[in-house]
Amino acid sequence: MNKKLISSLLVATMVMAPMAVANAEEAAGPYTIGYAPATLNNAFWLAVKDGVEKAIEEKGIEVELVDIDANGDQSIMNDGIANLLSSGVDAILCAPADSNAVGSALEQCQQAGVPVINFDTPVPDAEMVETIIASDNYNAGYVVGKDAAEKMDDGAKILVLHSPRASACVQRYEGFVAALEESGKEYTEVNNLDGQGATEVSMTLTADALVADPDLQVIFAVNDPSAMGAINAIQQATVELTNDIMVYGVDGNPDAKKLIESGEMEGTGSQSPETLGYDSMMAAFDVLEGKEIDKEIVVDTFLITAENVAEFGTDGWQ
């Protein structure tokens, strides 16, 4: 890829520390840190970045934060990481769009001696990164599956909107299925479609699925944008639906919580993206300061439904 094009995908912002730094002895830097999420076209990743910036301000270190906008394309992310390495970077925070295809970029980081903090979407080889910081994605799917199993009828038809390139989404699906199996309820997974974690893609797929199976009872989407696409398709359905379809997502997106509050969405396996970002940036600081860090850091997940959505609010992330 042309370097000029790659550079256009990188956005640098300077995060300045507050004037008063409580522990100036620990202050170092300045640092250049790469922020490489699966996409920036998703409120979740922007919320993660808020947590990153909070950690920088709290630490009191001058950091140039450089975004890679891969737009869900791992090849673009890999090219962006290569560009960061050639221009000089102290560490990279990485949540790959494709957990397996990121390997070549991680090898380049190792060769360059640049530490990588892997967040949200675990890479297969933990030795390629300093640490893996991720929500308990298996549990996020499990709590959704448990709730769905309790509410659905025996023999229910279920549609899954997956995103199988992302290991986090694979874990969510595995947790969902495990909970269904443990419940003992009979069910049929009528289709498992790649919604790509995108609202528009998931909306189109769901619209077609509803024509094929208007008696669906449950839709499980591996993230909230896909769940919201499914809800849009249900609202615009061109066939008469047999059931009030229970739609579940994962994330705890503020817009999803509003849909739960209004009764249009059944629930979401929730996480805290700001905590992910904060913990990831703090881990990067620790590595740059030569401190020991845990190889794996797990962030809790939990279910939000109409019964408890008021506790978390709908104006922001939990």
Side-chain angles (χ1 to χ4, degrees):
M1 182 178 288
N2 185 283
K3 282 195 173 183
K4 183 178 291 186
L5 177 57
I6 297 171
S7 297
S8 71
L9 299 169
L10 306 179
V11 181
T13 55
M14 188 70 74
V15 181
M16 302 299 294
M19 292 301 293
V21 179
N23 194 350
E25 292 182 2
E26 290 188 8
Y31 295 125
T32 300
I33 306 293
Y35 176 61
T39 179
L40 287 172
N41 186 29
N42 184 319
F44 176 84
W45 302 112
L46 297 176
V48 174
K49 188 178 178 183
D50 287 342
V52 171
E53 292 177 342
K54 179 181 178 182
I56 293 170
E57 292 177 0
E58 185 175 304
K59 190 72 174 177
I61 295 178
E62 184 180 313
V63 172
E64 181 184 14
L65 194 62
V66 185
D67 297 345
I68 297 176
D69 189 357
N71 197 28
D73 188 327
Q74 189 58 50
S75 64
I76 293 177
M77 181 185 290
N78 288 352
D79 287 339
I81 288 173
N83 195 53
L84 279 178
L85 294 174
S86 64
S87 62
V89 66
D90 296 293
I92 295 176
L93 312 181
C94 179
D98 187 320
S99 308
N100 294 308
V102 74
S104 60
L106 297 180
E107 289 176 3
Q108 291 181 53
C109 291
Q110 278 196 333
Q111 292 167 5
V114 173
V116 176
I117 306 300
N118 174 210
F119 69 95
D120 184 73
T121 307
V123 298
D125 187 357
E127 296 307 311
M128 300 294 290
V129 297
E130 299 297 321
T131 186
I132 297 175
I133 302 175
S135 298
D136 189 341
N137 286 294
Y138 182 91
N139 184 66
Y142 183 88
V143 295
V144 166
K146 188 173 185 296
D147 192 69
E150 290 173 355
K151 295 174 178 176
M152 71 188 193
D153 298 330
D154 233 4
K157 287 187 175 182
I158 299 175
L159 169 67
V160 174
L161 295 171
H162 209 334
S163 184
R165 292 182 305 158
S167 58
C169 295
V170 172
Q171 292 167 5
R172 294 168 187 177
Y173 172 68
E174 290 174 347
F176 175 73
V177 171
L180 293 179
E181 293 296 325
E182 286 180 15
S183 74
K185 281 277 186 75
E186 296 291 330
Y187 69 94
T188 301
E189 186 178 304
V190 297
N191 223 328
N192 190 313
L193 305 173
D194 186 1
Q196 301 175 25
T199 299
E200 290 299 322
V201 175
S202 296
M203 179 178 173
T204 301
L205 292 174
T206 302
D208 292 340
L210 292 174
V211 173
D213 291 287
D215 53 345
L216 284 174
Q217 191 170 11
V218 178
I219 297 177
F220 171 60
V222 293
N223 73 353
D224 285 341
S226 283
M228 289 186 279
I231 291 168
N232 289 339
I234 290 169
Q235 293 171 339
Q236 300 174 34
T238 58
V239 295
E240 185 175 349
L241 303 178
T242 305
N243 306 303
D244 290 330
I245 302 174
M246 296 185 291
V247 179
Y248 292 90
V250 174
D251 278 341
N253 183 307
D255 289 335
K257 289 189 288 184
K258 289 174 185 174
L259 291 171
I260 292 171
E261 187 178 54
S262 68
E264 296 166 274
M265 184 168 165
E266 192 66 29
T268 181
S270 301
Q271 56 185 330
S272 173
E274 291 184 8
T275 300
L276 275 175
Y278 179 89
D279 288 352
S280 297
M281 190 65 240
M282 283 302 191
F285 283 136
D286 285 345
V287 170
L288 292 170
E289 292 171 4
K291 297 178 181 177
E292 293 280 337
I293 62 172
D294 293 333
K295 199 64 180 177
E296 183 178 3
I297 299 171
V298 179
V299 178
D300 288 340
T301 53
F302 48 91
L303 183 69
I304 294 180
T305 65
E307 293 180 357
N308 64 353
V309 67
E311 298 174 26
F312 299 100
T314 59
D315 293 333
W317 295 84
Q318 48 286 336

